[in-house]
Every structure is written in structure tokens, then in C-alpha cells.
Amino acid sequence: DTAGLALAWLESAFMRPAMAHPALAARLRTLAAANAGTWYDVLRHPDVEREGRPPALGRLGELRAPTLVLVGALDVPDSHRIADTVVAVVP
């Protein structure tokens, strides 16, 4: 049930802050349901989300463009760790 999977994602800690706003939550439910087929594609073809070669983390130091890193106070801890890593590694 890809629609159910997409809607269950909206209940995750990752989406919880956005879902606390009724108007935004309604829009996100609409978008998740409309894009449920994408979840099916990822489940059917898991290689579409394979790790880059070499992994992106190892290439962050190659970035030369000005880079703006944004993370929200309500974002999950993983998002904060990723942002901190990008800030520490990108020149």
C-alpha cells in the first residue's frame, strides 16, 4: 500500500514539526498521496537510491561554490548532524 506508506511517512519524527500546522499538514497529505507512486518505484527498484561512487561525504571538500547550510530548530537530530558535517567539511 504505497499510499499508506507515503502517509505514514508524514507521521515520522522527520515530518512531525510540519504536520503540527493544519494548513501545511493538509497540503503535505495531498502531495504525499499524489506522489505515492514514487514510493512504489523506490520499493520496486531499490538501486535508485544507491550510494554514490565515491560516496558524497568524501567529496564534500571538493565543493568550490558558496554553500548555504540551513537546518531548523525542530529538525531531527540526524539533520543537525548532517548540517554540522557539511559546515565542517565544505571549504
Side-chain angles (χ1 to χ4, degrees):
D1 178 10
T2 56
L5 180 61
L7 294 174
W9 174 68
L10 297 177
E11 302 300 322
S12 71
F14 183 76
M15 294 302 294
R16 193 171 296 125
M19 296 301 288
H21 301 277
L24 181 55
R27 178 74 174 131
L28 290 171
R29 279 189 203 89
T30 299
L31 289 169
N35 290 289
T38 302
W39 291 89
Y40 176 72
D41 289 342
V42 171
L43 292 172
R44 196 172 54 153
H45 303 288
D47 60 324
V48 298
E49 290 196 9
R50 66 183 175 272
E51 186 174 299
R53 305 248 185 252
L57 178 60
R59 295 179 286 144
L60 285 175
E62 299 172 17
L63 289 175
R64 297 292 175 250
T67 305
L68 176 64
V69 178
L70 300 173
V71 64
L74 299 178
D75 283 337
V76 295
D78 282 347
S79 293
H80 285 265
R81 283 190 288 276
I82 291 166
D84 291 344
T85 299
V86 171
V87 168
V89 176
V90 172

